[in-house]
Amino acid sequence: MTELGFPPLCDTEIVAAPRLKRESVGVRVGEGFAAVTVGGGAPVVVQSMTNTDTADIESTVAQVAALAQAGSELVRITVDRDEAAAAVPKIREKLDEQGVFTPLVGDFHYIGHKLLADHPACAKALAKYRINPGNVGFKDKKDRQFSAIVELAIEHDKAVRIGANWGSLDQELLTVLMDENARSARPVDARAVTREALVRSALLSAARAEEIGLRRDRIILSAKVSGVQDLISVYRMVAQRSDYALHLGLTEAGMGSKGIVASSAALGILLQEGIGDTIRVSLTPEPNGDRTLEVQVAQEILQTMGFRTFVPLVAACPGCGRTTSTTFQELARDIQGLIRTKMPEWKKLYPGVETLNVAVMGCIVNGPGESKHADIGISLPGTGETPAAPVFIDGKKAMTLRGEGIAQDFEKIVENYVARRFGGEAGASAAE
């Protein structure tokens, strides 16, 4: 033991807590080089959904392209009527012409069986169908219409997401379970019964799809709710009872910081437990807001938790009374913007650039230390400090910037560093 009573470091196992593993069946979505694997040990897939009228081909193509550019690996579109179904193959064609090959998922409710049957080109153009067992049909029509969609998926060799939802739960199943609970010697609260109904709706529907002939490696399940604790409970139940690939997301998460925090809290816990093979962050955008924010948040959840790497990380201090101006805030914002803008080009030119770490610090307290820990960092002067900004590269002080052009100079230094470190000989020549 040491003087303080701790075991010696050599006797202590120092390891990072790993993400737990849940074995799930891998599902291939799409065809050829553009195909994406969900589950089966593949990295967690980021997906999103358009909010355009799918019948508006130009708007939908533009938004799918923007979401794909932002990093969405699957994009879901609404297919709610004949005009939307007829537009799908044209949307696929225009995206292909632009070099956007991201697989498209069709979101079907109520009349999906009819739309897929009446529009075979739509059925073929989509990579996956999403159906909701709570509204695929009612009474005697339910199994018939569900079966029709599954049979079409088999015919076209498409994956299917069976997506149960708290807001459109199978009322017949819920009523049966509520009655059983009322007769039980130890009844549970209605919310617990509702969670059980949601889980059973998804699992029973998946079992029925298999009976019809859909392979397990074509089935993805989801059971979405809008409450964080409910979502955690529901997905733990589904994960314990099946090995289907799971689509994870907090439905109707909300707008702004509320939606981001709620989604991060729920998804973070489940992902750490190994639950979730593809995620979507369902943010309500501001009026005319940027839909790609949900993609960025999903990526940042995965990257912050260390499960995937998408873009270089920028560490920046929050600011305090020691920071004299908004300079470091503006520089952090500009560097982050530079990275986001440059990433499509950098990914092609500089393999591994997504692992880059940049630090933008506001004063001398933590600035030099944090900058040394980053690949490249800058420590701006705080209140009463000498008006100079030391730059650290690979843990060593490389130079000091002064004057009005510190921000612009540092941006150039970052770009040159990326070219030199990740571009090989050609990059080093370009950086000189």
Side-chain angles (χ1 to χ4, degrees):
M1 302 291 285
T2 64
E3 292 182 5
L4 296 178
F6 295 110
L9 285 177
C10 58
D11 295 337
T12 304
E13 185 179 8
I14 303 176
V15 295
R19 182 187 181 216
L20 301 177
K21 297 288 186 181
R22 171 184 175 267
E23 299 295 332
S24 62
V25 178
V27 179
R28 190 174 174 84
V29 181
E31 300 175 353
F33 69 90
V36 174
T37 299
V38 177
V44 179
V45 172
V46 171
Q47 63 175 280
S48 57
M49 184 176 183
T50 60
N51 60 0
T52 57
D53 178 0
T54 305
D56 182 343
I57 295 171
E58 297 301 326
S59 295
T60 303
V61 167
Q63 193 170 85
V64 171
L67 291 167
Q69 177 82 353
S72 186
E73 294 158 306
L74 296 173
V75 177
R76 181 158 44 113
I77 59 177
T78 298
V79 188
D80 57 348
R81 63 193 195 281
D82 286 305
E83 293 82 358
V88 170
K90 298 174 184 176
I91 291 168
R92 179 73 275 167
E93 182 181 352
K94 286 183 175 292
L95 287 168
D96 290 346
E97 289 173 354
Q98 294 181 18
V100 179
F101 304 109
T102 304
L104 297 178
V105 180
D107 198 57
F108 294 98
H109 296 276
Y110 306 109
I111 59 170
H113 62 292
K114 184 176 185 302
L115 293 173
L116 286 167
D118 292 348
H119 299 272
C122 168
K124 183 178 179 181
L126 294 169
K128 184 174 75 172
Y129 310 154
R130 186 268 175 149
I131 55 178
N132 185 337
N135 61 29
V136 72
F138 304 98
K139 303 294 183 182
D140 60 316
K141 293 181 179 180
K142 180 178 178 180
D143 187 64
R144 187 166 67 249
Q145 295 177 181
F146 178 84
S147 299
I149 296 177
V150 171
E151 288 167 356
L152 285 162
I154 295 170
E155 177 185 339
H156 292 282
D157 192 23
K158 303 297 182 181
V160 174
R161 171 159 73 98
I162 297 173
N165 194 291
W166 188 272
S168 51
L169 186 55
D170 184 333
Q171 292 302 303
E172 290 182 70
L173 177 60
L174 180 60
T175 299
V176 169
L177 292 182
M178 286 291 187
D179 290 343
E180 286 181 4
N181 186 58
R183 295 191 298 268
S184 172
R186 292 184 175 182
V188 297
D189 63 72
R191 201 174 190 89
V193 177
T194 305
R195 289 196 294 264
E196 176 65 24
L198 189 67
V199 172
R200 288 199 196 182
S201 177
L203 293 176
L204 289 171
S205 297
R208 176 59 184 140
E210 285 197 65
E211 287 178 9
I212 297 167
L214 190 64
R215 302 193 315 269
R216 293 176 71 77
D217 65 354
R218 308 307 278 152
I219 299 173
I220 297 172
L221 291 190
S222 67
K224 290 189 174 183
V225 300
S226 56
V228 170
Q229 295 297 342
D230 289 315
L231 190 86
I232 294 169
S233 296
V234 164
Y235 272 92
R236 282 174 174 167
M237 292 163 69
V238 176
Q240 289 170 356
R241 300 183 196 181
S242 76
D243 62 354
Y244 294 110
L246 298 181
H247 169 115
L248 193 61
L250 188 74
T251 192
E252 290 95 34
M255 181 180 286
S257 61
K258 185 270 178 187
I260 293 172
V261 171
S263 293
S264 300
L267 272 59
I269 290 171
L270 290 168
L271 288 167
Q272 186 63 34
E273 294 179 3
I275 299 171
D277 300 293
T278 177
I279 64 172
R280 187 213 168 184
V281 176
S282 301
L283 296 180
T284 303
E286 298 285 347
N288 300 314
D290 188 355
R291 188 68 166 182
T292 63
L293 177 61
E294 66 177 47
V295 179
Q296 182 179 335
V297 172
Q299 289 182 329
E300 289 181 357
I301 290 172
L302 293 173
Q303 181 155 341
T304 299
M305 297 190 72
F307 300 147
R308 289 191 67 182
T309 304
F310 298 97
V311 296
L313 290 176
V314 178
C317 66
C320 65
R322 289 180 177 273
T323 52
T324 56
S325 69
T326 61
T327 303
F328 81 95
Q329 297 165 336
E330 292 164 355
L331 181 55
R333 178 199 62 201
D334 292 347
I335 289 296
Q336 202 148 285
L338 172 73
I339 289 170
R340 285 275 172 189
T341 301
K342 289 284 187 178
M343 272 309 287
E345 175 189 348
W346 283 356
K347 278 186 176 180
K348 296 176 182 177
L349 297 175
Y350 309 127
V353 67
E354 63 273 7
T355 64
L356 176 71
N357 286 305
V358 181
V360 179
M361 306 303 293
C363 77
I364 199 171
V365 174
N366 291 321
E370 286 286 351
S371 296
K372 289 177 183 177
H373 287 305
D375 295 315
I376 181 168
I378 186 170
S379 179
L380 295 164
T383 304
E385 295 175 15
T386 303
V391 174
F392 296 83
I393 297 177
D394 296 329
K396 298 179 181 179
K397 182 178 177 181
M399 64 197 73
T400 299
L401 302 180
R402 294 181 174 82
E404 297 295 323
I406 287 178
Q408 293 78 9
D409 290 343
F410 186 63
E411 287 185 19
K412 291 178 183 177
I413 292 169
V414 169
E415 290 194 67
N416 288 338
Y417 178 83
V418 167
R420 184 171 63 255
R421 177 176 169 184
F422 300 99
E425 292 183 7
S429 299
E432 292 177 356

